Amino acid sequence: ADDDEDDRLLTQDALAESRVLNELFFVEDGVELLEYLERKGKFSEKESSPRPGLILLDLNMPRMDGREALRAIKDDENLRGIPVVILTTSKQEEDMVRGYNLGAASYITKPVNFEILLSLCNDYVTLPDTQK
């Protein structure tokens, strides 16, 4: 979930480079992320919106920011088991502490270089996703 197209492309390239077999799906803000996870609106078909094995989450997005989306995900019994990695430009310690307190698996500050993102992908997404 990221509103910045360049950051989405970097993520896509890192996943392709690490030979991750999982499909990659992008949303542009927290509202779309929750609609995707809850299969609402344009994401209502299970085939076009499979359950993610990992969520990369930007904090600073329009409509619903990443902090609100993370809280909603971790408050939902059906979603809280999905690991969420915060990938953001925010260097504020308060955001990092709050993210971990809300249940984030990791917190990475942008600009992240390609090698760091590649390492993250290898750590969290190494096996094909098993759909629920």
Side-chain angles (χ1 to χ4, degrees), residues 57-118:
L57 181 65
D58 185 20
L59 290 182
N60 302 312
M61 299 181 290
R63 297 199 304 162
M64 177 189 287
D65 70 18
R67 296 161 196 84
E68 296 169 293
L70 178 59
R71 179 182 307 279
I73 291 165
K74 295 305 177 180
D75 283 347
D76 187 312
E77 187 176 304
N78 296 315
L79 302 176
R80 72 173 55 126
I82 302 170
V84 178
V85 173
I86 296 172
L87 188 59
T88 185
T89 57
S90 176
K91 296 179 182 180
Q92 295 181 20
E93 187 174 341
E94 177 184 335
D95 280 334
M96 185 184 330
V97 170
R98 185 174 176 199
Y100 282 125
N101 285 341
L102 288 172
S106 188
Y107 188 101
I108 300 172
T109 304
K110 298 177 197 175
V112 62
N113 68 33
F114 186 79
E115 288 75 26
I116 291 172
L117 188 54
L118 187 61

Side-chain angles (χ1 to χ4, degrees), residues 31-80:
V31 172
E32 278 193 353
L33 175 59
L34 292 178
E35 287 174 352
Y36 178 94
L37 294 171
E38 296 167 355
R39 291 198 176 106
K40 293 182 178 175
K42 67 182 180 181
F43 304 109
S44 61
E45 296 297 322
K46 185 176 182 177
E47 296 77 28
S48 63
S49 60
R51 183 179 175 92
L54 172 71
I55 297 171
L56 296 176
L57 181 65
D58 185 20
L59 290 182
N60 302 312
M61 299 181 290
R63 297 199 304 162
M64 177 189 287
D65 70 18
R67 296 161 196 84
E68 296 169 293
L70 178 59
R71 179 182 307 279
I73 291 165
K74 295 305 177 180
D75 283 347
D76 187 312
E77 187 176 304
N78 296 315
L79 302 176
R80 72 173 55 126

